[in-house]
């Protein structure tokens, strides 16, 4: 039997119009004088042109053939050219791994979308040494946000360590835009004073500000702070590409930790935590000021508080309930990248006329409290308390003014403490 090749599109249209089964007409037998012609065209009903091909010898192997040039062309004339072109499907090599064909394209590739991958800092997980934040930008931001900070130093500390939170929570991602631009967005839990909307830092590769190629410092820089609608307008990035708040995360966010621990906060009033601690071994971590600039060293009077364990315990008993425990955020970026809530109880040492803070951490696995540190500097405690950002917490925002007032009730001023 001789196989036939024909224009399937026109035949299919005829079948649809007639709504009757299509029957492929048999080719008329050519006159004897034309039987030597290898192939010819016959005009059939519905203007269907059937091409008669040679008889296929089943035992003969097919020879590899290249696809018709008309198949690889994406020009406008390809449609008209293909109407008159015929080819043998058996001779066509199909590539299963070929890209998907999309009408109207010559390459067969889809329109590109932004691609994201995790931001990996070259230095300790925080903004410092990784993301350059210009001073003028911090100053401008201070006057354009709802949240209150006493100065630009306090705001920079907040931005610096909040960046660490975002890295720890894998919210910092490098977004590759279709035009080749790289962009990192940071959620700082700060609201625009004019619109009440969240502000995101738009971070791009640093090419002009204090970049240190040899040490790979400051490879990124903050360009501006934008709201979600502004990001959508400028970069065409919707909510899918925005980082989540490290404070508002449902399972391990700071607000969740705070509410959970407030329910068991009474546990730190167990005096056995103090009496069982071996104070005379002086092994408790002492946390002084985090500001290590020269100006701070000149204005700080070096004062070491010394006392016996008994004097210390008596001071704790006398002042334990004067000031409620104050929550702070502690972060680690050396042995591990992590952050968590701790609570500080202020103790007045009458012999030194100074206040010292005792840091407590709740261990979820063991369901108990443990002493972690002694806090020596009021400003350091306050900076770490601001990291919770109660001002932006919604239902707990009223606690902001409550805790803030506690800092007016004590002064520190000690640089170290020693028990004997």
């Amino acid at each position: 039997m001789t196989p036939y090749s024909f224009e399937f599109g026109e035949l299919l249209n005829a079948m649809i119009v007639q709504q009757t089964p299509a029957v492929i007409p048999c080719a008329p037998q050519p006159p004897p004088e034309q039987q030597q012609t290898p192939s010819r065209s016959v005009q059939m009903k519905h203007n269907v042109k059937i091409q008669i091909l040679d008889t296929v010898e089943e035992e003969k192997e097919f020879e590899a053939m290249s696809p018709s040039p008309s198949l690889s062309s994406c020009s406008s004339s390809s449609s008209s050219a293909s109407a008159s072109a015929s080819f043998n499907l058996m001779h066509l090599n199909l590539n299963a791994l070929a890209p998907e064909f999309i009408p109207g394209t010559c390459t067969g590739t889809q329109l590109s979308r932004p691609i994201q991958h995790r931001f990996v800092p070259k230095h300790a997980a925080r903004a410092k040494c990784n993301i350059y934040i210009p001073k003028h930008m911090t100053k401008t931001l201070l006057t354009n946000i709802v949240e209150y900070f006493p100065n630009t130093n306090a705001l920079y500390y907040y931005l610096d360590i909040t960046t660490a939170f975002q890295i720890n929570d894998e919210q910092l991602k490098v977004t590759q835009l279709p035009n080749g631009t790289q962009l990192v967005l940071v959620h700082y839990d700060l609201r625009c004073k004019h619109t009440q909307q969240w502000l995101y830092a738009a971070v791009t590769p640093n090419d002009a500000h204090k970049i240190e190629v040899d040490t790979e410092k400051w490879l990124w820089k903050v360009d501006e702070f934008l709201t979600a609608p502004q990001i959508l307008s400028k970069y065409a990035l919707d909510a899918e590409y925005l980082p989540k708040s490290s404070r508002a995360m449902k399972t391990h966010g700071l607000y969740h930790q705070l509410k959970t621990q407030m329910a068991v906060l009474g546990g730190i009033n167990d005096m056995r935590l103090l009496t069982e601690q071996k104070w005379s071994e002086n092994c408790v971590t002492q946390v002084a000021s985090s500001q290590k600039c020269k100006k701070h060293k000149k204005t700080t009077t070096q004062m070491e508080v010394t006392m016996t364990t008994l004097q210390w315990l008596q001071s704790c008993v006398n002042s334990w309930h004067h000031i409620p425990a104050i929550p702070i955020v502690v972060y680690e970026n050396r042995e591990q990248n992590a952050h968590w809530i701790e609570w500080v109880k202020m103790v007045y040492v009458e012999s030194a006329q100074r206040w010292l803070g005792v840091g407590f951490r709740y261990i979820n696995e063991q369901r108990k409290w443990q002493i972690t540190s002694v806090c020596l500097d009021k400003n350091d405690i306050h900076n770490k308390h601001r990291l919770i950002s109660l001002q932006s917490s919604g239902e707990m925002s009223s606690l902001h003014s409550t805790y803030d007032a506690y800092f007016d009730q004590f002064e520190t001023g000690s640089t170290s403490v020693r028990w004997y």
Side-chain angles (χ1 to χ4, degrees), residues 20-204:
T20 58
V23 178
I24 301 176
C26 296
Q29 294 296 326
E33 63 273 8
Q34 296 182 1
Q35 288 184 0
Q36 308 220 344
T37 305
S39 65
R40 67 186 182 89
S41 297
V42 180
Q43 193 75 19
M44 304 300 297
K45 186 179 181 180
H46 304 299
N47 294 323
V48 177
K49 184 172 62 176
I50 297 178
Q51 183 77 16
I52 301 175
L53 303 180
D54 294 336
T55 302
V56 177
E57 298 181 13
E58 297 182 356
E59 297 182 359
K60 184 178 180 179
E61 294 184 0
F62 291 114
E63 296 180 1
M65 295 180 63
S66 300
S68 171
S70 62
L71 296 179
S72 59
S73 173
C74 295
S75 63
S76 59
S77 61
S78 62
S79 57
S80 59
S82 62
S84 60
S86 62
F87 59 93
N88 193 337
L89 293 176
M90 296 181 183
H91 290 174
L92 180 63
N93 293 330
L94 300 180
N95 182 6
L97 300 180
E100 178 185 0
F101 170 73
I102 298 178
T105 64
C106 294
T107 59
T109 58
Q110 296 190 18
L111 295 176
S112 57
R113 283 172 49 86
I115 300 174
Q116 289 187 317
H117 62 269
R118 184 179 177 183
F119 177 89
V120 180
K122 295 292 185 179
H123 301 274
R126 58 191 298 182
K128 184 179 180 180
C129 295
N130 293 302
I131 301 176
Y132 178 70
I133 306 177
K135 291 183 179 180
H136 71 85
M137 190 169 295
T138 308
K139 186 176 180 180
T140 302
L141 181 65
L142 185 65
T143 60
N144 287 280
I145 55 177
V146 175
E147 291 72 22
Y148 168 77
F149 292 87
N151 50 56
T152 55
N153 288 337
L155 178 56
Y156 178 82
Y157 180 85
Y158 176 91
L159 299 175
D160 183 20
I161 308 305
T162 299
T163 304
F165 300 166
Q166 290 273 276
I167 294 174
N168 296 347
D169 294 330
E170 298 185 6
Q171 291 305 305
L172 245 62
K173 297 179 181 179
V174 179
T175 302
Q176 185 82 24
L177 301 177
N179 63 2
T181 302
Q182 288 186 318
L183 178 70
V184 177
L185 298 173
V186 191
H187 194 327
Y188 283 117
D189 294 288
L190 299 174
R191 293 167 293 170
C192 176
K193 182 182 292 185
H194 309 289
T195 65
Q196 303 296 313
Q197 294 176 323
W198 295 120
L199 287 170
Y200 301 83
V203 180
T204 59

Side-chain angles (χ1 to χ4, degrees), residues 11-12 225 260 333:
L11 179 59
L12 181 60
F225 289 88
T260 302
N333 59 11

Side-chain angles (χ1 to χ4, degrees), residues 126-375:
R126 58 191 298 182
K128 184 179 180 180
C129 295
N130 293 302
I131 301 176
Y132 178 70
I133 306 177
K135 291 183 179 180
H136 71 85
M137 190 169 295
T138 308
K139 186 176 180 180
T140 302
L141 181 65
L142 185 65
T143 60
N144 287 280
I145 55 177
V146 175
E147 291 72 22
Y148 168 77
F149 292 87
N151 50 56
T152 55
N153 288 337
L155 178 56
Y156 178 82
Y157 180 85
Y158 176 91
L159 299 175
D160 183 20
I161 308 305
T162 299
T163 304
F165 300 166
Q166 290 273 276
I167 294 174
N168 296 347
D169 294 330
E170 298 185 6
Q171 291 305 305
L172 245 62
K173 297 179 181 179
V174 179
T175 302
Q176 185 82 24
L177 301 177
N179 63 2
T181 302
Q182 288 186 318
L183 178 70
V184 177
L185 298 173
V186 191
H187 194 327
Y188 283 117
D189 294 288
L190 299 174
R191 293 167 293 170
C192 176
K193 182 182 292 185
H194 309 289
T195 65
Q196 303 296 313
Q197 294 176 323
W198 295 120
L199 287 170
Y200 301 83
V203 180
T204 59
N206 187 6
D207 55 3
H209 300 281
K210 292 189 175 181
I211 188 170
E212 298 181 16
V213 179
D214 296 337
T215 59
E216 293 188 298
K217 289 183 179 180
W218 313 116
L219 296 181
W220 299 83
K221 69 178 186 300
V222 174
D223 276 345
E224 56 188 336
F225 289 88
L226 302 171
T227 62
Q230 290 172 330
I231 293 172
L232 179 61
S233 175
K234 183 170 183 177
Y235 297 106
L237 297 176
D238 56 20
E240 176 187 353
Y241 296 94
L242 299 181
K244 296 180 177 62
S245 165
S246 292
R247 296 173 174 85
M249 288 182 171
K250 294 182 178 180
T251 55
H252 61 278
L254 293 176
Y255 296 149
H256 175 77
Q257 291 184 45
L258 185 66
K259 289 192 289 187
T260 302
Q261 294 179 19
M262 288 178 72
V264 295
L265 189 57
I268 67 174
N269 294 324
D270 188 348
M271 288 293 111
R272 287 178 297 180
L273 292 172
L274 295 169
T275 58
E276 292 174 1
Q277 180 68 39
K278 298 179 180 180
W279 298 102
S280 60
E281 294 182 2
N282 293 288
C283 58
V284 179
T285 301
Q286 299 184 27
V287 182
S289 173
S290 59
Q291 300 179 10
K292 299 180 180 180
C293 60
K294 295 180 180 179
K295 181 179 179 180
H296 179 77
K297 291 181 178 180
K298 291 180 180 180
T299 57
T300 301
T301 302
Q302 300 294 315
M303 179 179 178
E304 181 182 64
V305 176
T306 60
M307 59 187 143
T308 65
T309 300
L310 184 60
Q311 289 174 324
W312 167 244
L313 293 176
Q314 188 62 51
S315 297
C316 291
V317 172
N318 293 343
S319 58
W320 197 251
H321 297 288
H322 287 184
I323 301 176
I326 300 172
I328 63 172
V329 183
V330 177
Y331 72 99
E332 170 65 47
N333 59 11
R334 292 174 182 161
E335 297 181 0
Q336 60 175 339
N337 289 333
H339 56 277
W340 58 89
I341 294 284
E342 289 192 7
W343 297 77
V344 178
K345 281 290 290 185
M346 300 306 301
V347 175
Y348 183 69
V349 181
E350 188 172 357
S351 60
Q353 297 185 346
R354 292 288 189 278
W355 289 83
L356 300 175
V358 182
F360 291 87
R361 181 181 182 183
Y362 186 71
I363 310 301
N364 290 309
E365 295 78 8
Q366 303 175 15
R367 296 186 178 181
K368 70 175 187 179
W369 293 90
Q370 71 176 22
I371 295 174
T372 58
S373 61
V374 173
C375 304

